Amino acid sequence: MVSDSRKASSASQTLSRGIRVLEVLADAQEALSVDQIAERLGVHRSIAYRLIRTLEDHGLLTREPAGKFELGTRLAALAAGIKHDLQAAALPELTAVANELGMTCFVAVMDREECVTLVSVEPRHAVASVAQRPGSRHPFTVGAPGRAILAQLPSEDWPDGIREVADRGYADSHGEVIENLSAVAVPLPLRGHNPAALAVVYLSSTRPPAELAERLKAAAKAVRDALGG
C-alpha cells in the first residue's frame, strides 16, 4: 500500500510540473509542441502529454490547428480576479497616462523576491510602443519599478541607491531589464496590499524622467484615492 506521504509527494510533484508547463509557455510567448514542452521541463514526452491534457481539459491550455499548445483564455479569467480592486482602480489612470505620454503604463507588484507586472495599457495611437505583458517578472533589485517598490520597505532593508529613490519620489532606469528600454516608476503604497509601483516603459522620450514622474505621481494619487487611501 502506498503511504499517505508518498501520495502527497506525488501529487505535489504533479502540481508543480503542471505549473511549470504554464510558466514555460508564458516565457516562450509562442505555441509549443508536446516535445518542446517536455524538453524544457526535462521530463519524458508521455509525462508532458498527461500534464498538457489535464491543463487543456480545464481551459488553461489551447491546442492550435497545427497541434501545438498555447496558454488558454481561462487563464485570463483567473488573472482578472487577482487584486481585482487594484486592477479596476488602476485601469482608467493607466489608460490616461499611456495615451497622454504615448508610452506603455503599468502597475507592478512585489511577489517575494520579484517584481511582477499586474496590469498594463499600451498607448492607443503611438507610432511604436513597448509591450509589457501582465505576469512578466524580474528581480526587484533591477529596473525602475523594482526600486520604487524597494523604497517602500523599511530603510534597514534598502540596498544601495534606494535612499535617493525615496528622497526624490521616483526611480528611473535604462537597459537594466531589457536592452535599450527605459522606465520611470513611482511608489504606489496601498493599504492592504503588498508594495506596488506605477510605471511607464518606453524606447525614447524628449521628456526628462522627472517630468514623467510627476505625471505618474498624480496617477498614483488617483489610484490611492479610488481605493480609499
Side-chain angles (χ1 to χ4, degrees), residues 34 37-38 43-56 63 69:
V34 175
I37 293 172
V43 300
H44 191 273
R45 185 183 191 278
S46 62
I47 294 175
Y49 184 72
R50 287 198 297 270
L51 295 169
I52 289 166
R53 284 301 307 272
T54 300
L55 293 168
E56 185 182 17
R63 188 194 306 255
F69 293 87

Side-chain angles (χ1 to χ4, degrees), residues 75-205:
L75 278 173
L78 295 175
I82 299 173
K83 298 186 182 296
H84 178 267
D85 56 342
L86 175 53
Q87 292 196 55
L91 269 173
E93 295 304 319
L94 298 182
T95 302
V97 172
N99 290 329
E100 179 182 326
L101 300 181
M103 301 173 181
T104 298
C105 189
F106 63 100
V107 169
V109 297
M110 183 177 72
D111 181 21
R112 291 176 290 183
E113 301 298 317
E114 294 183 305
C115 177
V116 182
T117 299
L118 177 66
V119 59
S120 67
V121 174
E122 295 180 34
R124 186 178 297 115
H125 300 302
V127 176
S129 62
V130 179
Q132 182 73 18
R133 181 169 49 86
S136 61
R137 58 179 62 227
H138 58 79
F140 60 60
T141 52
V142 298
R147 287 201 285 277
I149 287 173
L150 283 171
Q152 299 169 65
L153 300 181
S155 58
E156 59 266 24
D157 296 331
W158 288 349
D160 292 342
I162 301 305
R163 181 165 297 281
E164 180 184 1
V165 173
D167 289 343
R168 69 184 183 181
Y170 74 91
D172 63 303
S173 62
H174 178 74
E176 292 185 18
V177 178
I178 299 177
E179 187 177 359
N180 297 325
L181 293 187
S182 297
V184 175
V186 300
L188 182 59
L190 299 167
R191 187 168 59 247
H193 291 274
N194 284 340
L198 189 62
V200 287
V201 60
Y202 53 96
L203 285 166
S204 63
S205 175

